[in-house]
């Protein structure tokens, strides 16, 4: 394939991807409000449009038209840069996520992944994709730390200190929980990790690879990384007003939220790719009679079903669990998740060595 | 369609493009909000929030040294995690690669267990440090204890 074609495809894919992602983020917020409302025996937003479906649009317009307050005491360059850093980093990592195999359209093989191309015989993607995602998400702590410091408000500073300590503590467990999957897959390329799980759901790393301990470590660490309940100490509104974004208003405030929800999507995608077979159907080994059109839709369908499920679990847990206390949070990460993830690595490698 | 293989680094081009587009999106949002939102200056409104009271002092005060401690420990253990990742990626190819040096076949027990023992020694050394900081109380947050005198 020629370079110009490749770049043209990449630009189209990026535009589509960002459009879908930002729309999805808006509707995940709506879904969250609806689901939480029903869990609390309320109706949730239902005034704007049918079933409140235009609510995200109304929210967006309101965020843009509200007064953009920049307090006098802030350090302006970093104050403005911080929400941009948070949002930009959360938008980058999605480009490495593969959403399916490839589509064969009008003589072209198009991989459903931004950073991948068709070599003529197979798809080539970034062979250290997982490492890049870990790197980009760990940069996310800058957005939080800088926003709290530059706001020059006591609540913001306390919130950002808490958030920074929490983010870096749980990053350890997050990184180590993925080592078990890497042992099984033997590659850092997300596409190859998914390919190593081809077959029925017994080949998924969660079931077949016996990585359920790793998965629960991953999902707990990821909840902490995205500042979600039960780990939402950085924005604990009963203690810290709103944590590190206390001083932010209008679109800058919304940008922190968009970053958080984009990160939720990335976390859900990674959980799907690493532990739950990516776009592979759970019944793949059975060779059920299906119409040919289904073979084209099926990868995307299964991928989005799984991602949707993990996002729903996020919301479900928010409706269920109370918040940790801060010392409990830190000792849970350091004294429980970290040793457990190391134990998981030792056990997985031992089993692999004995079984090979 | 001509089948010229593209050089490998071309894979990173979309990521660069994505960074550019993400910067444009984020910058556009900030600019749009600053342009379209109304601005009315009032001295009280522009103060940092302190529960509606007039703010006192500066926020940039001293804070607990524990946060620095966590940052330090994070660097130590994150380096450990990074060393584990390449080992994990080649773990299954290791027996075949190491067998000739051990004078064993690739299916022999010693060749299969080689990578495991090597990493167990490494993890063991790291765990010694981990239990040291645990017993020293560096991981305790509710501490007014005297244990943390490093």
């Amino acid at each position: 394939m020629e370079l110009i074609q490749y770049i043209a495809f990449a630009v189209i894919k990026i535009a589509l991807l960002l459009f879908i992602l930002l729309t999805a983020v808006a509707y995940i917020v709506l879904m969250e409000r609806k689901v939480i409302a029903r869990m609390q025996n309320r109706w949730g937003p239902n005034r704007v449009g049918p079933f409140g479906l235009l609510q995200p649009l109304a929210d967006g317009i309101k965020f843009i038209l509200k007064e953009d307050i920049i307090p006098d005491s802030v350090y302006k360059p970093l104050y403005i840069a911080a929400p941009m850093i948070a949002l930009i980093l959360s938008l980058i990592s999605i480009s490495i996520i593969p959403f399916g195999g490839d589509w064969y359209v009008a003589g072209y093989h198009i991989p459903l992944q931004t950073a991948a191309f068709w070599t003529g015989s197979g798809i080539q993607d970034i062979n250290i994709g997982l490492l890049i995602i870990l790197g980009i998400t760990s940069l996310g702590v800058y957005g939080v730390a800088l926003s709290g410091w530059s706001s020059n408000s006591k609540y913001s500073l306390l919130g950002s200190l808490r958030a920074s300590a929490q983010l870096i503590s749980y990053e350890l467990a997050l990184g180590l929980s993925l080592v078990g999957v890497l042992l099984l897959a033997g590659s850092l390329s997300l596409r190859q990790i998914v390919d190593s799980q081809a077959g029925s759901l017994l080949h998924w790393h969660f079931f077949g690879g016996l990585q359920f301990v790793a998965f629960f470590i991953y999902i707990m660490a990821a909840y902490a990384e995205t500042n979600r309940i039960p780990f939402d100490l950085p924005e604990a509104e009963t203690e810290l007003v709103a944590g590190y974004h206390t001083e932010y208003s209008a679109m800058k405030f919304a940008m922190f939220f968009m970053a958080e929800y984009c990160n939720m999507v990335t976390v859900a995608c990674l959980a799907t790719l690493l532990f739950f077979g990516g776009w592979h159907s759970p019944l793949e080994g059975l060779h059920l009679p299906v119409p040919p059109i289904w073979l084209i839709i099926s990868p995307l369908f299964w991928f989005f079903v799984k991602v949707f499920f993990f996002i729903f679990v996020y919301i479900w847990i928010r409706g269920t669990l109370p918040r940790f206390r801060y010392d409990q949070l830190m000792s849970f990460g350091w004294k429980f998740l970290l040793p457990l993830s190391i134990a998981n690595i030792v056990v997985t490698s031992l089993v692999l060595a004995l079984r090979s | 369609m001509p089948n010229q293989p593209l050089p490998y680094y071309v894979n990173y081009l979309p990521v660069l493009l994505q960074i550019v587009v993400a910067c444009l999106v984020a910058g556009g949002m900030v600019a749009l909000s600053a342009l379209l939102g109304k601005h009315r200056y009032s001295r009280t409104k522009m103060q940092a929030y302190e529960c509606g009271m007039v703010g006192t002092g500066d926020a940039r005060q001293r804070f607990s040294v524990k946060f620095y401690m966590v940052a330090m420990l994070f660097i130590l253990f994150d380096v450990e995690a990074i060393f584990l990742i390449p080992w994990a990626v080649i773990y299954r190819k290791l027996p075949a690669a190491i067998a000739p040096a051990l004078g064993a076949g690739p299916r022999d027990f010693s060749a299969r267990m080689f990578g495991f023992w090597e990493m167990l020694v490494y993890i063991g050394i790291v765990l010694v440090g981990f239990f040291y900081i645990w017993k020293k109380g560096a991981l305790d947050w509710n501490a007014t204890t005297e244990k943390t005198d490093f």
Side-chain angles (χ1 to χ4, degrees):
Chain A
M1 190 191 285
E2 279 164 38
L3 197 59
I4 300 295
Q5 268 176 3
Y6 171 61
I7 292 174
F9 276 131
V11 170
I12 294 169
K13 278 194 277 194
I14 288 170
L16 263 178
L17 182 65
L18 283 185
F19 175 74
I20 293 171
L21 179 69
L22 292 175
T23 317
V25 161
Y27 277 92
I28 289 168
V29 176
L30 178 69
M31 180 176 119
E32 172 158 28
R33 291 173 65 180
K34 279 282 195 192
V35 172
I36 289 285
R38 297 315 289 263
M39 283 176 181
Q40 296 167 344
N41 219 351
R42 305 181 276 118
W43 282 102
N46 62 357
R47 286 286 179 267
V48 192
F51 310 108
L53 279 176
L54 295 179
Q55 184 72 39
L57 197 67
D59 284 344
I61 293 169
K62 190 174 163 182
F63 273 128
I64 284 185
L65 294 181
K66 282 286 172 185
E67 179 171 3
D68 186 21
I69 300 174
I70 300 179
D72 287 334
S73 54
V74 303
Y75 179 62
K76 251 187 168 183
L78 288 181
Y79 178 83
I80 294 169
M84 289 173 67
I85 292 172
L87 184 62
I88 289 168
L89 290 174
S90 67
L91 290 179
I92 293 170
S93 49
I94 201 81
S95 71
I96 298 158
I97 304 272
F99 295 94
D102 64 310
W103 273 355
Y104 187 68
V105 183
Y108 294 105
H109 282 278
I110 305 169
L112 298 177
Q113 178 183 13
T114 311
F117 59 84
W118 178 259
T119 56
S121 55
I123 299 165
Q124 190 173 22
D125 73 336
I126 293 180
N127 61 354
I128 52 164
L130 189 56
L131 209 55
I132 289 185
I133 290 184
L134 281 179
I136 291 170
T137 48
S138 65
L139 284 175
V141 74
Y142 281 108
V144 173
L146 291 180
S147 68
W149 182 83
S150 65
S151 293
N152 203 358
S153 157
K154 282 149 199 156
Y155 291 113
S156 303
L157 186 70
L158 285 174
S160 80
L161 281 175
R162 278 185 174 194
S164 315
Q166 174 184 331
L167 289 179
I168 59 179
S169 297
Y170 278 79
E171 207 176 294
L172 289 175
L174 185 83
L176 288 175
S177 70
L178 302 180
V179 172
V181 171
L182 295 177
L183 280 167
L184 289 164
S187 170
L188 281 164
S189 150
L190 289 168
R191 206 164 266 279
Q192 280 172 30
I193 290 174
V194 171
D195 285 343
S196 72
Q197 306 177 68
S200 72
L201 84 172
L202 292 177
H203 292 84
W204 295 356
H205 289 327
F206 181 79
F207 299 107
L210 298 178
Q211 289 300 308
F212 36 82
V213 177
F215 171 72
F216 287 116
I217 296 168
Y218 168 77
I219 210 79
M220 280 185 272
Y223 280 30
E225 289 285 303
T226 45
N227 297 333
R228 297 284 302 181
I229 283 178
F231 303 105
D232 67 335
L233 273 294
E235 43 199 85
E237 61 269 20
T238 45
E239 308 161 29
L240 287 176
V241 188
Y244 56 88
H245 48 65
T246 303
E247 297 297 334
Y248 283 91
S249 55
M251 205 59 202
K252 292 204 199 71
F253 172 78
M255 280 162 78
F256 278 115
F257 268 83
M258 288 165 74
E260 182 181 323
Y261 282 86
C262 286
N263 284 333
M264 275 170 63
V265 173
T266 312
V267 162
C269 288
L270 268 188
T272 306
L273 292 169
L274 298 178
F275 296 97
F276 284 86
W279 53 84
H280 290 295
S281 149
L283 306 172
E284 208 169 57
L286 295 181
H287 300 292
L288 299 173
V290 285
I293 185 81
W294 177 247
L295 294 177
I296 300 169
I297 306 169
S298 153
L300 272 182
F301 172 79
W302 285 113
F303 188 82
F304 283 113
V305 163
K306 289 169 188 172
V307 170
F308 182 82
F309 172 74
F310 285 119
I311 287 169
F312 180 77
V313 170
Y314 256 112
I315 299 168
W316 190 2
I317 283 179
R318 184 181 160 187
T320 311
L321 291 180
R323 188 179 293 137
F324 272 85
R325 212 172 59 209
Y326 198 69
D327 61 316
Q328 291 173 334
L329 170 97
M330 294 309 269
S331 59
F332 183 69
W334 282 95
K335 294 182 180 172
F336 182 71
L337 288 187
L338 187 60
L340 192 65
S341 55
I342 291 175
N344 176 63
I345 294 170
V346 172
V347 171
T348 308
S349 58
L350 181 63
V351 170
L352 266 181
L354 292 177
R355 239 181 18 186
S356 66
Chain B
M1 187 170 65
N3 276 342
Q4 301 156 335
L6 293 174
Y8 190 77
Y9 55 80
V10 166
N11 253 340
Y12 291 87
L13 219 57
V15 183
L16 277 179
L17 282 172
Q18 180 105 357
I19 293 173
V20 172
V21 175
C23 289
L24 289 178
V25 168
M29 280 178 182
V30 168
L32 213 61
S33 170
L35 288 176
L36 292 181
K38 56 173 179 269
H39 293 273
R40 284 207 198 94
Y41 186 85
S42 104
R43 226 165 62 86
T44 335
K45 186 164 72 183
M46 294 303 170
Q47 277 186 348
Y49 177 76
E50 265 177 42
C51 303
M53 311 293 285
V54 176
T56 51
D58 195 72
R60 312 235 165 90
Q61 292 168 350
R62 286 150 48 119
F63 50 83
S64 174
V65 72
K66 291 243 161 94
F67 291 108
Y68 292 100
M69 193 87 87
V70 167
M72 244 161 59
L73 296 178
F74 162 71
I75 292 173
L76 291 177
F77 285 94
D78 209 33
V79 170
E80 178 215 2
I82 289 300
F83 277 133
L84 280 173
I85 284 176
W87 165 77
V89 170
I90 62 157
Y91 184 71
R92 303 186 96 166
K93 298 169 199 135
L94 215 50
I98 203 70
L102 292 174
R107 306 282 308 158
D108 284 2
F109 190 69
S110 59
R112 283 186 345 210
M113 296 301 283
F114 176 79
F116 176 72
W117 294 127
E118 293 288 306
M119 191 39 71
L120 206 61
V121 171
Y122 175 71
I123 288 179
I125 293 169
V126 171
L127 279 184
V128 169
F130 182 66
F131 282 111
Y132 175 74
I133 58 163
W134 188 329
K135 288 298 162 202
K136 268 286 184 184
L139 304 178
D140 292 332
W141 274 77
N142 49 355
T144 48
T145 55
E146 297 79 46
K147 277 191 293 181
T148 51
D149 51 350
F150 274 86

